[in-house]
Amino acid sequence: MYNINYNQTEKYSEMFKALSNPYRLKIFLYLATHCRPGELSTNDEMRYTVGELGEDLEIAQSTVSHHLKELRQSGLIRMERKSKNVECWVEQETLDFMTAFFEVTQD
Amino acid sequence: MYNINYNQTEKYSEMFKALSNPYRLKIFLYLATHCRPGELSTNDEMRYTVGELGEDLEIAQSTVSHHLKELRQSGLIRMERKSKNVECWVEQETLDFMTAFFEVTQD
DNA sequence: ATTATACATCGACATATTTCGAATTATATC
DNA sequence: GATATAATTCGAAATATGTCGATGTATAAT
């Protein structure tokens, strides 16, 4: 019998829920895979605005906004207003947290 | 811009949905963490029956059955009838598939 | 101040999920 | 065959989620 941090299961289930919706998963993957290696998420080049995501992924604007909010609340992405736009990018720490989950399940 | 297997996003969102429910996540973690290293899932010792899961996790029996079905359909666990009981265990291949997801999001 | 652009929130409807007791099915025992 | 045990399916009610047009709000430009 092994210790697992059962306190964190709520957090994990929230993040899994965030990724369970096809639109949200697509948005998340789009952000994650457009982060070129070596570049930091602090670099404007690899952030996407709400509008860009809607256009690129062909999702209604209000729907994108709604889903981004959920992704943000679960901790998977971060958002920051930059003048008229709101920029979005993945939260690396949360990714590491997720990766840890599947390490716990190994051996 | 990086290749990602967008064909597999449906499968991934299904698995994430399976883990998004607190009960299902607990069941899955219970199965996963009670697999002691070195033992194979083909070993009866580390399988759990539907009834055991319900008792140990204090979930109504029909609820457990329902959630196990969803975990199985998403490919996260396997089930096999053994006389009166149905034994459950995690599907290692699917775990690897999940782990791969977060490797894709890295770098 | 007016106008334009980008995003968030609201409202509303449709659909899906969750949960568990009750009824049903499968298997074993006597 | 009758009974007991284990699990699935059914039914039903409550709750949650998904979607998007319409409306509201924040910022910038003129």
PDB file of all heavy atoms in Angstrom, chain A residues 15 22 28 49 55 58 68 84 92 100 106:
ATOM      1  N   MET A  15      -8.520  19.748 -12.937  1.00  0.00           N
ATOM      2  CA  MET A  15      -7.698  19.923 -14.133  1.00  0.00           C
ATOM      3  C   MET A  15      -8.089  18.929 -15.224  1.00  0.00           C
ATOM      4  O   MET A  15      -8.117  19.268 -16.398  1.00  0.00           O
ATOM      5  CB  MET A  15      -6.228  19.791 -13.762  1.00  0.00           C
ATOM      6  CG  MET A  15      -5.769  20.927 -12.835  1.00  0.00           C
ATOM      7  SD  MET A  15      -4.005  20.947 -12.561  1.00  0.00           S
ATOM      8  CE  MET A  15      -3.764  19.342 -11.840  1.00  0.00           C
ATOM      9  N   PRO A  22     -13.646  18.924 -25.560  1.00  0.00           N
ATOM     10  CA  PRO A  22     -12.863  18.936 -26.804  1.00  0.00           C
ATOM     11  C   PRO A  22     -12.350  20.332 -27.177  1.00  0.00           C
ATOM     12  O   PRO A  22     -11.197  20.461 -27.598  1.00  0.00           O
ATOM     13  CB  PRO A  22     -13.866  18.443 -27.838  1.00  0.00           C
ATOM     14  CG  PRO A  22     -14.800  17.563 -27.080  1.00  0.00           C
ATOM     15  CD  PRO A  22     -14.936  18.204 -25.722  1.00  0.00           C
ATOM     16  N   PHE A  28      -5.985  24.279 -25.295  1.00  0.00           N
ATOM     17  CA  PHE A  28      -4.812  24.009 -24.470  1.00  0.00           C
ATOM     18  C   PHE A  28      -3.656  23.472 -25.302  1.00  0.00           C
ATOM     19  O   PHE A  28      -2.517  23.941 -25.191  1.00  0.00           O
ATOM     20  CB  PHE A  28      -5.169  23.014 -23.361  1.00  0.00           C
ATOM     21  CG  PHE A  28      -4.002  22.619 -22.521  1.00  0.00           C
ATOM     22  CD1 PHE A  28      -3.522  23.464 -21.526  1.00  0.00           C
ATOM     23  CD2 PHE A  28      -3.376  21.408 -22.726  1.00  0.00           C
ATOM     24  CE1 PHE A  28      -2.435  23.102 -20.746  1.00  0.00           C
ATOM     25  CE2 PHE A  28      -2.288  21.037 -21.950  1.00  0.00           C
ATOM     26  CZ  PHE A  28      -1.817  21.880 -20.967  1.00  0.00           C
ATOM     27  N   THR A  49      -3.788  35.707 -28.238  1.00  0.00           N
ATOM     28  CA  THR A  49      -4.913  36.467 -27.713  1.00  0.00           C
ATOM     29  C   THR A  49      -6.193  35.648 -27.839  1.00  0.00           C
ATOM     30  O   THR A  49      -6.255  34.669 -28.591  1.00  0.00           O
ATOM     31  CB  THR A  49      -5.092  37.795 -28.477  1.00  0.00           C
ATOM     32  OG1 THR A  49      -5.541  37.514 -29.807  1.00  0.00           O
ATOM     33  CG2 THR A  49      -3.789  38.583 -28.513  1.00  0.00           C
ATOM     34  N   GLU A  55     -10.301  32.609 -33.851  1.00  0.00           N
ATOM     35  CA  GLU A  55     -10.164  32.558 -35.316  1.00  0.00           C
ATOM     36  C   GLU A  55      -9.464  31.282 -35.764  1.00  0.00           C
ATOM     37  O   GLU A  55      -9.966  30.557 -36.620  1.00  0.00           O
ATOM     38  CB  GLU A  55      -9.363  33.770 -35.806  1.00  0.00           C
ATOM     39  CG  GLU A  55     -10.236  34.977 -36.121  1.00  0.00           C
ATOM     40  CD  GLU A  55      -9.468  36.007 -36.944  1.00  0.00           C
ATOM     41  OE1 GLU A  55      -8.697  35.612 -37.845  1.00  0.00           O
ATOM     42  OE2 GLU A  55      -9.618  37.214 -36.648  1.00  0.00           O
ATOM     43  N   GLU A  58     -11.561  28.329 -34.922  1.00  0.00           N
ATOM     44  CA  GLU A  58     -12.938  28.437 -35.409  1.00  0.00           C
ATOM     45  C   GLU A  58     -13.976  28.107 -34.332  1.00  0.00           C
ATOM     46  O   GLU A  58     -14.775  27.178 -34.473  1.00  0.00           O
ATOM     47  CB  GLU A  58     -13.142  27.544 -36.643  1.00  0.00           C
ATOM     48  CG  GLU A  58     -12.315  28.017 -37.817  1.00  0.00           C
ATOM     49  CD  GLU A  58     -12.466  27.127 -39.053  1.00  0.00           C
ATOM     50  OE1 GLU A  58     -12.653  25.918 -38.877  1.00  0.00           O
ATOM     51  OE2 GLU A  58     -12.394  27.657 -40.179  1.00  0.00           O
ATOM     52  N   LEU A  68     -11.708  29.621 -21.848  1.00  0.00           N
ATOM     53  CA  LEU A  68     -10.439  30.125 -21.320  1.00  0.00           C
ATOM     54  C   LEU A  68     -10.552  30.388 -19.823  1.00  0.00           C
ATOM     55  O   LEU A  68      -9.625  30.120 -19.062  1.00  0.00           O
ATOM     56  CB  LEU A  68     -10.025  31.399 -22.057  1.00  0.00           C
ATOM     57  CG  LEU A  68      -9.485  31.192 -23.470  1.00  0.00           C
ATOM     58  CD1 LEU A  68      -9.294  32.534 -24.163  1.00  0.00           C
ATOM     59  CD2 LEU A  68      -8.159  30.433 -23.438  1.00  0.00           C
ATOM     60  N   LYS A  84      -5.602  46.391 -25.499  1.00  0.00           N
ATOM     61  CA  LYS A  84      -6.944  45.919 -25.832  1.00  0.00           C
ATOM     62  C   LYS A  84      -7.085  44.406 -25.764  1.00  0.00           C
ATOM     63  O   LYS A  84      -8.178  43.874 -25.599  1.00  0.00           O
ATOM     64  CB  LYS A  84      -7.330  46.391 -27.254  1.00  0.00           C
ATOM     65  CG  LYS A  84      -7.875  47.798 -27.291  1.00  0.00           C
ATOM     66  CD  LYS A  84      -8.550  48.096 -28.597  1.00  0.00           C
ATOM     67  CE  LYS A  84      -7.586  48.057 -29.781  1.00  0.00           C
ATOM     68  NZ  LYS A  84      -8.269  48.452 -31.035  1.00  0.00           N
ATOM     69  N   GLN A  92       3.474  26.510 -16.875  1.00  0.00           N
ATOM     70  CA  GLN A  92       4.408  25.391 -16.846  1.00  0.00           C
ATOM     71  C   GLN A  92       4.343  24.600 -15.541  1.00  0.00           C
ATOM     72  O   GLN A  92       4.392  23.367 -15.542  1.00  0.00           O
ATOM     73  CB  GLN A  92       5.826  25.902 -17.082  1.00  0.00           C
ATOM     74  CG  GLN A  92       6.875  24.802 -17.175  1.00  0.00           C
ATOM     75  CD  GLN A  92       6.587  23.824 -18.315  1.00  0.00           C
ATOM     76  OE1 GLN A  92       6.244  24.238 -19.420  1.00  0.00           O
ATOM     77  NE2 GLN A  92       6.694  22.527 -18.051  1.00  0.00           N
ATOM     78  N   ALA A 100       3.463  14.824 -12.770  1.00  0.00           N
ATOM     79  CA  ALA A 100       3.721  14.113 -11.512  1.00  0.00           C
ATOM     80  C   ALA A 100       2.634  13.101 -11.203  1.00  0.00           C
ATOM     81  O   ALA A 100       2.909  12.044 -10.628  1.00  0.00           O
ATOM     82  CB  ALA A 100       3.855  15.117 -10.370  1.00  0.00           C
ATOM     83  N   GLN A 106       2.818   5.270 -11.775  1.00  0.00           N
ATOM     84  CA  GLN A 106       3.805   4.283 -12.251  1.00  0.00           C
ATOM     85  C   GLN A 106       4.403   3.545 -11.067  1.00  0.00           C
ATOM     86  O   GLN A 106       4.532   4.100  -9.997  1.00  0.00           O
ATOM     87  CB  GLN A 106       4.932   4.978 -13.029  1.00  0.00           C
ATOM     88  CG  GLN A 106       4.466   5.803 -14.207  1.00  0.00           C
ATOM     89  CD  GLN A 106       3.929   4.942 -15.347  1.00  0.00           C
ATOM     90  OE1 GLN A 106       4.256   3.780 -15.416  1.00  0.00           O
ATOM     91  NE2 GLN A 106       3.120   5.527 -16.209  1.00  0.00           N
TER      92      GLN A 106
END
